[in-house]
């Protein structure tokens, strides 16, 4: 399993529905991507990304139509790679990225944490480690919120990659 999840913002006109193009997007350095895609924003979640996903996807939605929380970390349309052993890329359209940005802008992290904490704390040292654990997840939440807010402001799509 990968230890990181990479998210990159891509202007919709530059985005290609090609696994080979998406692989190059993540192989290239930041400057090359900035030149090719017009701008570059990236967020990288560490090995806790599956638990970060739990915080959002496991949350009780306020309303049934507000479901972008399932797209924050691992959501998106899969683009499968030639090697079936490698995880697919995940692509959010610009509209989906805007919905995620709106969700994160109004999400109450403490409420999300309270919903997931009993499941997560045992994996991170239990109740005695809660302040450090809460801080790590809250920090990732702030970074994701900033990433998606800027992505939505630019009208960009999001491509997610889990290195094999």
């Amino acid at each position: 399993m990968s230890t990181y999840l990479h998210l990159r913002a891509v202007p919709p006109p530059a985005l290609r529905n090609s696994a080979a193009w998406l692989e190059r997007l993540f192989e290239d350095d930041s400057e090359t991507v900035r030149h090719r895609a017009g701008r570059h924003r990236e967020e990288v979640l560490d090995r806790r990304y599956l638990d970060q996903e739990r915080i959002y996807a496991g949350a009780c939605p306020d309303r049934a139509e507000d479901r972008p929380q399932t797209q924050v970390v691992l959501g998106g349309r899969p683009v499968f790679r030639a090697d079936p052993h490698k995880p697919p890329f995940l692509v959010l359209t610009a509209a989906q990225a805007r919905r995620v940005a709106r969700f994160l802008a109004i999400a109450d992290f403490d409420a999300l944490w309270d919903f997931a904490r009993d499941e997560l704390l045992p994996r991170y040292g239990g109740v005695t480690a809660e302040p450090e654990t809460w801080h790590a997840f809250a920090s990732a939440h702030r970074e994701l919120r900033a990433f998606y807010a800027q992505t939505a402001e630019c009208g960009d799509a999001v491509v997610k990659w889990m290195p094999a």
Side-chain angles (χ1 to χ4, degrees), residues 9-10 39-43 97-98 101-102 104 142-158:
V10 178
R39 55 190 169 265
H40 165 70
R41 280 180 317 287
E42 180 175 63
E43 185 59 46
R98 281 191 304 274
R102 281 192 300 271
L104 291 173
R142 287 188 301 275
E143 291 167 5
L144 283 168
R145 186 175 54 213
F147 170 79
Y148 277 108
Q150 187 176 14
T151 298
E153 185 177 307
C154 293
D156 288 343
V158 173

PDB file of all heavy atoms in Angstrom, residues 9-10 39-43 97-98 101-102 104 142-158:
ATOM      1  N   ALA A   9      -4.287  19.963  -8.755  1.00  0.00           N
ATOM      2  CA  ALA A   9      -5.297  20.748  -9.459  1.00  0.00           C
ATOM      3  C   ALA A   9      -4.857  20.907 -10.905  1.00  0.00           C
ATOM      4  O   ALA A   9      -3.678  21.158 -11.171  1.00  0.00           O
ATOM      5  CB  ALA A   9      -5.442  22.115  -8.797  1.00  0.00           C
ATOM      6  N   VAL A  10      -5.803  20.738 -11.808  1.00  0.00           N
ATOM      7  CA  VAL A  10      -5.502  20.818 -13.235  1.00  0.00           C
ATOM      8  C   VAL A  10      -6.610  21.619 -13.913  1.00  0.00           C
ATOM      9  O   VAL A  10      -7.789  21.320 -13.726  1.00  0.00           O
ATOM     10  CB  VAL A  10      -5.425  19.403 -13.865  1.00  0.00           C
ATOM     11  CG1 VAL A  10      -5.152  19.481 -15.354  1.00  0.00           C
ATOM     12  CG2 VAL A  10      -4.381  18.552 -13.161  1.00  0.00           C
ATOM     13  N   ARG A  39      -0.739  26.250 -14.290  1.00  0.00           N
ATOM     14  CA  ARG A  39      -0.541  26.556 -12.866  1.00  0.00           C
ATOM     15  C   ARG A  39      -0.429  25.219 -12.138  1.00  0.00           C
ATOM     16  O   ARG A  39      -0.750  24.181 -12.695  1.00  0.00           O
ATOM     17  CB  ARG A  39      -1.651  27.416 -12.288  1.00  0.00           C
ATOM     18  CG  ARG A  39      -3.046  26.861 -12.470  1.00  0.00           C
ATOM     19  CD  ARG A  39      -4.064  27.938 -12.083  1.00  0.00           C
ATOM     20  NE  ARG A  39      -5.382  27.570 -12.459  1.00  0.00           N
ATOM     21  CZ  ARG A  39      -5.982  27.919 -13.568  1.00  0.00           C
ATOM     22  NH1 ARG A  39      -5.348  28.633 -14.458  1.00  0.00           N
ATOM     23  NH2 ARG A  39      -7.217  27.549 -13.819  1.00  0.00           N
ATOM     24  N   HIS A  40       0.029  25.292 -10.925  1.00  0.00           N
ATOM     25  CA  HIS A  40       0.225  24.032 -10.206  1.00  0.00           C
ATOM     26  C   HIS A  40      -0.117  24.217  -8.740  1.00  0.00           C
ATOM     27  O   HIS A  40       0.370  25.130  -8.095  1.00  0.00           O
ATOM     28  CB  HIS A  40       1.682  23.579 -10.328  1.00  0.00           C
ATOM     29  CG  HIS A  40       2.044  22.508  -9.353  1.00  0.00           C
ATOM     30  ND1 HIS A  40       1.551  21.231  -9.447  1.00  0.00           N
ATOM     31  CD2 HIS A  40       2.816  22.528  -8.260  1.00  0.00           C
ATOM     32  CE1 HIS A  40       2.031  20.523  -8.452  1.00  0.00           C
ATOM     33  NE2 HIS A  40       2.801  21.280  -7.714  1.00  0.00           N
ATOM     34  N   ARG A  41      -0.979  23.354  -8.293  1.00  0.00           N
ATOM     35  CA  ARG A  41      -1.247  23.259  -6.860  1.00  0.00           C
ATOM     36  C   ARG A  41      -1.312  21.786  -6.546  1.00  0.00           C
ATOM     37  O   ARG A  41      -1.894  20.996  -7.289  1.00  0.00           O
ATOM     38  CB  ARG A  41      -2.565  23.937  -6.508  1.00  0.00           C
ATOM     39  CG  ARG A  41      -2.431  25.435  -6.403  1.00  0.00           C
ATOM     40  CD  ARG A  41      -3.742  26.076  -6.058  1.00  0.00           C
ATOM     41  NE  ARG A  41      -4.881  25.535  -6.783  1.00  0.00           N
ATOM     42  CZ  ARG A  41      -5.134  25.761  -8.068  1.00  0.00           C
ATOM     43  NH1 ARG A  41      -4.344  26.482  -8.769  1.00  0.00           N
ATOM     44  NH2 ARG A  41      -6.198  25.255  -8.642  1.00  0.00           N
ATOM     45  N   GLU A  42      -0.708  21.453  -5.452  1.00  0.00           N
ATOM     46  CA  GLU A  42      -0.683  20.057  -5.062  1.00  0.00           C
ATOM     47  C   GLU A  42      -0.861  19.956  -3.551  1.00  0.00           C
ATOM     48  O   GLU A  42      -0.429  20.823  -2.811  1.00  0.00           O
ATOM     49  CB  GLU A  42       0.648  19.420  -5.466  1.00  0.00           C
ATOM     50  CG  GLU A  42       0.748  17.956  -5.090  1.00  0.00           C
ATOM     51  CD  GLU A  42       2.019  17.315  -5.593  1.00  0.00           C
ATOM     52  OE1 GLU A  42       3.116  17.730  -5.175  1.00  0.00           O
ATOM     53  OE2 GLU A  42       1.898  16.402  -6.424  1.00  0.00           O
ATOM     54  N   GLU A  43      -1.507  18.894  -3.145  1.00  0.00           N
ATOM     55  CA  GLU A  43      -1.617  18.560  -1.735  1.00  0.00           C
ATOM     56  C   GLU A  43      -1.187  17.102  -1.615  1.00  0.00           C
ATOM     57  O   GLU A  43      -1.502  16.287  -2.476  1.00  0.00           O
ATOM     58  CB  GLU A  43      -3.054  18.743  -1.239  1.00  0.00           C
ATOM     59  CG  GLU A  43      -3.224  18.536   0.227  1.00  0.00           C
ATOM     60  CD  GLU A  43      -2.371  19.472   1.065  1.00  0.00           C
ATOM     61  OE1 GLU A  43      -2.334  20.681   0.786  1.00  0.00           O
ATOM     62  OE2 GLU A  43      -1.723  18.969   1.998  1.00  0.00           O
ATOM     63  N   ALA A  97     -15.150  19.450  -7.663  1.00  0.00           N
ATOM     64  CA  ALA A  97     -14.175  20.117  -6.791  1.00  0.00           C
ATOM     65  C   ALA A  97     -14.807  21.313  -6.089  1.00  0.00           C
ATOM     66  O   ALA A  97     -14.538  21.569  -4.912  1.00  0.00           O
ATOM     67  CB  ALA A  97     -12.944  20.534  -7.587  1.00  0.00           C
ATOM     68  N   ARG A  98     -15.674  22.048  -6.790  1.00  0.00           N
ATOM     69  CA  ARG A  98     -16.382  23.175  -6.152  1.00  0.00           C
ATOM     70  C   ARG A  98     -17.304  22.691  -5.042  1.00  0.00           C
ATOM     71  O   ARG A  98     -17.396  23.308  -3.980  1.00  0.00           O
ATOM     72  CB  ARG A  98     -17.182  23.967  -7.197  1.00  0.00           C
ATOM     73  CG  ARG A  98     -16.352  24.922  -8.017  1.00  0.00           C
ATOM     74  CD  ARG A  98     -17.209  25.871  -8.847  1.00  0.00           C
ATOM     75  NE  ARG A  98     -18.146  25.186  -9.727  1.00  0.00           N
ATOM     76  CZ  ARG A  98     -17.840  24.751 -10.962  1.00  0.00           C
ATOM     77  NH1 ARG A  98     -16.640  24.916 -11.442  1.00  0.00           N
ATOM     78  NH2 ARG A  98     -18.757  24.157 -11.692  1.00  0.00           N
ATOM     79  N   ALA A 101     -15.195  21.850  -2.120  1.00  0.00           N
ATOM     80  CA  ALA A 101     -14.728  23.093  -1.478  1.00  0.00           C
ATOM     81  C   ALA A 101     -15.829  23.704  -0.613  1.00  0.00           C
ATOM     82  O   ALA A 101     -15.563  24.140   0.509  1.00  0.00           O
ATOM     83  CB  ALA A 101     -14.264  24.093  -2.537  1.00  0.00           C
ATOM     84  N   ARG A 102     -17.066  23.706  -1.117  1.00  0.00           N
ATOM     85  CA  ARG A 102     -18.186  24.235  -0.318  1.00  0.00           C
ATOM     86  C   ARG A 102     -18.404  23.394   0.929  1.00  0.00           C
ATOM     87  O   ARG A 102     -18.633  23.919   2.015  1.00  0.00           O
ATOM     88  CB  ARG A 102     -19.465  24.295  -1.155  1.00  0.00           C
ATOM     89  CG  ARG A 102     -19.517  25.481  -2.097  1.00  0.00           C
ATOM     90  CD  ARG A 102     -20.893  25.687  -2.697  1.00  0.00           C
ATOM     91  NE  ARG A 102     -21.391  24.559  -3.466  1.00  0.00           N
ATOM     92  CZ  ARG A 102     -21.183  24.373  -4.760  1.00  0.00           C
ATOM     93  NH1 ARG A 102     -20.480  25.234  -5.447  1.00  0.00           N
ATOM     94  NH2 ARG A 102     -21.685  23.321  -5.371  1.00  0.00           N
ATOM     95  N   LEU A 104     -16.185  21.549   2.555  1.00  0.00           N
ATOM     96  CA  LEU A 104     -15.095  21.775   3.509  1.00  0.00           C
ATOM     97  C   LEU A 104     -15.169  23.164   4.136  1.00  0.00           C
ATOM     98  O   LEU A 104     -14.769  23.342   5.291  1.00  0.00           O
ATOM     99  CB  LEU A 104     -13.740  21.561   2.835  1.00  0.00           C
ATOM    100  CG  LEU A 104     -13.425  20.113   2.464  1.00  0.00           C
ATOM    101  CD1 LEU A 104     -12.134  20.040   1.655  1.00  0.00           C
ATOM    102  CD2 LEU A 104     -13.348  19.231   3.694  1.00  0.00           C
ATOM    103  N   ARG A 142      -7.362  21.414   7.424  1.00  0.00           N
ATOM    104  CA  ARG A 142      -7.112  22.803   7.003  1.00  0.00           C
ATOM    105  C   ARG A 142      -6.402  22.853   5.652  1.00  0.00           C
ATOM    106  O   ARG A 142      -6.736  23.677   4.794  1.00  0.00           O
ATOM    107  CB  ARG A 142      -6.299  23.544   8.058  1.00  0.00           C
ATOM    108  CG  ARG A 142      -7.085  23.902   9.306  1.00  0.00           C
ATOM    109  CD  ARG A 142      -6.300  24.812  10.241  1.00  0.00           C
ATOM    110  NE  ARG A 142      -5.052  24.236  10.691  1.00  0.00           N
ATOM    111  CZ  ARG A 142      -4.928  23.410  11.738  1.00  0.00           C
ATOM    112  NH1 ARG A 142      -6.001  23.085  12.440  1.00  0.00           N
ATOM    113  NH2 ARG A 142      -3.748  22.935  12.089  1.00  0.00           N
ATOM    114  N   GLU A 143      -5.429  21.961   5.464  1.00  0.00           N
ATOM    115  CA  GLU A 143      -4.701  21.934   4.193  1.00  0.00           C
ATOM    116  C   GLU A 143      -5.613  21.523   3.041  1.00  0.00           C
ATOM    117  O   GLU A 143      -5.555  22.110   1.952  1.00  0.00           O
ATOM    118  CB  GLU A 143      -3.504  20.999   4.301  1.00  0.00           C
ATOM    119  CG  GLU A 143      -2.425  21.550   5.222  1.00  0.00           C
ATOM    120  CD  GLU A 143      -1.372  20.522   5.605  1.00  0.00           C
ATOM    121  OE1 GLU A 143      -1.408  19.385   5.079  1.00  0.00           O
ATOM    122  OE2 GLU A 143      -0.507  20.865   6.432  1.00  0.00           O
ATOM    123  N   LEU A 144      -6.460  20.528   3.262  1.00  0.00           N
ATOM    124  CA  LEU A 144      -7.412  20.128   2.226  1.00  0.00           C
ATOM    125  C   LEU A 144      -8.403  21.249   1.928  1.00  0.00           C
ATOM    126  O   LEU A 144      -8.728  21.506   0.763  1.00  0.00           O
ATOM    127  CB  LEU A 144      -8.157  18.862   2.646  1.00  0.00           C
ATOM    128  CG  LEU A 144      -7.389  17.562   2.521  1.00  0.00           C
ATOM    129  CD1 LEU A 144      -8.113  16.434   3.246  1.00  0.00           C
ATOM    130  CD2 LEU A 144      -7.171  17.205   1.051  1.00  0.00           C
ATOM    131  N   ARG A 145      -8.880  21.904   2.972  1.00  0.00           N
ATOM    132  CA  ARG A 145      -9.826  23.009   2.778  1.00  0.00           C
ATOM    133  C   ARG A 145      -9.184  24.108   1.929  1.00  0.00           C
ATOM    134  O   ARG A 145      -9.794  24.614   0.990  1.00  0.00           O
ATOM    135  CB  ARG A 145     -10.286  23.551   4.127  1.00  0.00           C
ATOM    136  CG  ARG A 145     -11.389  24.603   3.980  1.00  0.00           C
ATOM    137  CD  ARG A 145     -11.936  25.053   5.308  1.00  0.00           C
ATOM    138  NE  ARG A 145     -10.860  25.515   6.168  1.00  0.00           N
ATOM    139  CZ  ARG A 145     -10.839  25.400   7.480  1.00  0.00           C
ATOM    140  NH1 ARG A 145     -11.850  24.824   8.106  1.00  0.00           N
ATOM    141  NH2 ARG A 145      -9.843  25.858   8.183  1.00  0.00           N
ATOM    142  N   ALA A 146      -7.935  24.466   2.222  1.00  0.00           N
ATOM    143  CA  ALA A 146      -7.239  25.509   1.457  1.00  0.00           C
ATOM    144  C   ALA A 146      -6.996  25.056   0.015  1.00  0.00           C
ATOM    145  O   ALA A 146      -7.191  25.834  -0.936  1.00  0.00           O
ATOM    146  CB  ALA A 146      -5.918  25.858   2.137  1.00  0.00           C
ATOM    147  N   PHE A 147      -6.588  23.808  -0.164  1.00  0.00           N
ATOM    148  CA  PHE A 147      -6.341  23.276  -1.505  1.00  0.00           C
ATOM    149  C   PHE A 147      -7.613  23.333  -2.354  1.00  0.00           C
ATOM    150  O   PHE A 147      -7.612  23.840  -3.474  1.00  0.00           O
ATOM    151  CB  PHE A 147      -5.819  21.836  -1.420  1.00  0.00           C
ATOM    152  CG  PHE A 147      -5.775  21.132  -2.747  1.00  0.00           C
ATOM    153  CD1 PHE A 147      -4.753  21.370  -3.648  1.00  0.00           C
ATOM    154  CD2 PHE A 147      -6.769  20.221  -3.094  1.00  0.00           C
ATOM    155  CE1 PHE A 147      -4.720  20.716  -4.872  1.00  0.00           C
ATOM    156  CE2 PHE A 147      -6.742  19.572  -4.311  1.00  0.00           C
ATOM    157  CZ  PHE A 147      -5.716  19.819  -5.207  1.00  0.00           C
ATOM    158  N   TYR A 148      -8.708  22.806  -1.814  1.00  0.00           N
ATOM    159  CA  TYR A 148      -9.949  22.789  -2.584  1.00  0.00           C
ATOM    160  C   TYR A 148     -10.517  24.186  -2.783  1.00  0.00           C
ATOM    161  O   TYR A 148     -11.101  24.474  -3.830  1.00  0.00           O
ATOM    162  CB  TYR A 148     -10.988  21.875  -1.927  1.00  0.00           C
ATOM    163  CG  TYR A 148     -10.808  20.414  -2.287  1.00  0.00           C
ATOM    164  CD1 TYR A 148     -10.337  19.497  -1.357  1.00  0.00           C
ATOM    165  CD2 TYR A 148     -11.138  19.944  -3.556  1.00  0.00           C
ATOM    166  CE1 TYR A 148     -10.190  18.157  -1.681  1.00  0.00           C
ATOM    167  CE2 TYR A 148     -10.991  18.608  -3.882  1.00  0.00           C
ATOM    168  CZ  TYR A 148     -10.514  17.717  -2.947  1.00  0.00           C
ATOM    169  OH  TYR A 148     -10.372  16.388  -3.279  1.00  0.00           O
ATOM    170  N   ALA A 149     -10.356  25.078  -1.824  1.00  0.00           N
ATOM    171  CA  ALA A 149     -10.853  26.445  -1.987  1.00  0.00           C
ATOM    172  C   ALA A 149     -10.132  27.129  -3.145  1.00  0.00           C
ATOM    173  O   ALA A 149     -10.774  27.763  -4.003  1.00  0.00           O
ATOM    174  CB  ALA A 149     -10.671  27.238  -0.696  1.00  0.00           C
ATOM    175  N   GLN A 150      -8.831  27.018  -3.192  1.00  0.00           N
ATOM    176  CA  GLN A 150      -8.072  27.640  -4.272  1.00  0.00           C
ATOM    177  C   GLN A 150      -8.377  26.958  -5.605  1.00  0.00           C
ATOM    178  O   GLN A 150      -8.505  27.616  -6.629  1.00  0.00           O
ATOM    179  CB  GLN A 150      -6.579  27.594  -3.975  1.00  0.00           C
ATOM    180  CG  GLN A 150      -5.770  28.373  -4.989  1.00  0.00           C
ATOM    181  CD  GLN A 150      -4.302  28.406  -4.652  1.00  0.00           C
ATOM    182  OE1 GLN A 150      -3.827  27.649  -3.815  1.00  0.00           O
ATOM    183  NE2 GLN A 150      -3.569  29.275  -5.316  1.00  0.00           N
ATOM    184  N   THR A 151      -8.523  25.651  -5.580  1.00  0.00           N
ATOM    185  CA  THR A 151      -8.851  24.905  -6.788  1.00  0.00           C
ATOM    186  C   THR A 151     -10.210  25.354  -7.335  1.00  0.00           C
ATOM    187  O   THR A 151     -10.356  25.597  -8.532  1.00  0.00           O
ATOM    188  CB  THR A 151      -8.856  23.391  -6.487  1.00  0.00           C
ATOM    189  OG1 THR A 151      -7.541  23.021  -6.064  1.00  0.00           O
ATOM    190  CG2 THR A 151      -9.255  22.576  -7.696  1.00  0.00           C
ATOM    191  N   ALA A 152     -11.185  25.489  -6.460  1.00  0.00           N
ATOM    192  CA  ALA A 152     -12.520  25.932  -6.877  1.00  0.00           C
ATOM    193  C   ALA A 152     -12.476  27.365  -7.402  1.00  0.00           C
ATOM    194  O   ALA A 152     -13.116  27.686  -8.409  1.00  0.00           O
ATOM    195  CB  ALA A 152     -13.497  25.822  -5.714  1.00  0.00           C
ATOM    196  N   GLU A 153     -11.713  28.214  -6.739  1.00  0.00           N
ATOM    197  CA  GLU A 153     -11.598  29.609  -7.174  1.00  0.00           C
ATOM    198  C   GLU A 153     -11.040  29.705  -8.591  1.00  0.00           C
ATOM    199  O   GLU A 153     -11.455  30.563  -9.373  1.00  0.00           O
ATOM    200  CB  GLU A 153     -10.694  30.371  -6.206  1.00  0.00           C
ATOM    201  CG  GLU A 153     -10.588  31.842  -6.484  1.00  0.00           C
ATOM    202  CD  GLU A 153      -9.731  32.541  -5.443  1.00  0.00           C
ATOM    203  OE1 GLU A 153     -10.014  32.382  -4.238  1.00  0.00           O
ATOM    204  OE2 GLU A 153      -8.787  33.240  -5.846  1.00  0.00           O
ATOM    205  N   CYS A 154     -10.122  28.820  -8.926  1.00  0.00           N
ATOM    206  CA  CYS A 154      -9.527  28.808 -10.268  1.00  0.00           C
ATOM    207  C   CYS A 154     -10.360  28.028 -11.280  1.00  0.00           C
ATOM    208  O   CYS A 154     -10.064  28.040 -12.468  1.00  0.00           O
ATOM    209  CB  CYS A 154      -8.123  28.217 -10.217  1.00  0.00           C
ATOM    210  SG  CYS A 154      -6.941  29.240  -9.324  1.00  0.00           S
ATOM    211  N   GLY A 155     -11.384  27.322 -10.809  1.00  0.00           N
ATOM    212  CA  GLY A 155     -12.226  26.536 -11.691  1.00  0.00           C
ATOM    213  C   GLY A 155     -11.556  25.260 -12.183  1.00  0.00           C
ATOM    214  O   GLY A 155     -11.853  24.779 -13.279  1.00  0.00           O
ATOM    215  N   ASP A 156     -10.653  24.719 -11.377  1.00  0.00           N
ATOM    216  CA  ASP A 156      -9.874  23.554 -11.788  1.00  0.00           C
ATOM    217  C   ASP A 156     -10.509  22.237 -11.374  1.00  0.00           C
ATOM    218  O   ASP A 156     -11.331  22.173 -10.460  1.00  0.00           O
ATOM    219  CB  ASP A 156      -8.471  23.624 -11.184  1.00  0.00           C
ATOM    220  CG  ASP A 156      -7.616  24.691 -11.841  1.00  0.00           C
ATOM    221  OD1 ASP A 156      -7.967  25.152 -12.947  1.00  0.00           O
ATOM    222  OD2 ASP A 156      -6.592  25.071 -11.238  1.00  0.00           O
ATOM    223  N   ALA A 157     -10.075  21.186 -12.054  1.00  0.00           N
ATOM    224  CA  ALA A 157     -10.404  19.809 -11.702  1.00  0.00           C
ATOM    225  C   ALA A 157      -9.326  19.313 -10.748  1.00  0.00           C
ATOM    226  O   ALA A 157      -8.320  19.982 -10.524  1.00  0.00           O
ATOM    227  CB  ALA A 157     -10.435  18.959 -12.963  1.00  0.00           C
ATOM    228  N   VAL A 158      -9.519  18.123 -10.185  1.00  0.00           N
ATOM    229  CA  VAL A 158      -8.550  17.523  -9.275  1.00  0.00           C
ATOM    230  C   VAL A 158      -8.255  16.106  -9.742  1.00  0.00           C
ATOM    231  O   VAL A 158      -9.162  15.347 -10.055  1.00  0.00           O
ATOM    232  CB  VAL A 158      -9.088  17.489  -7.826  1.00  0.00           C
ATOM    233  CG1 VAL A 158      -8.154  16.712  -6.908  1.00  0.00           C
ATOM    234  CG2 VAL A 158      -9.311  18.896  -7.309  1.00  0.00           C
TER     235      VAL A 158
END
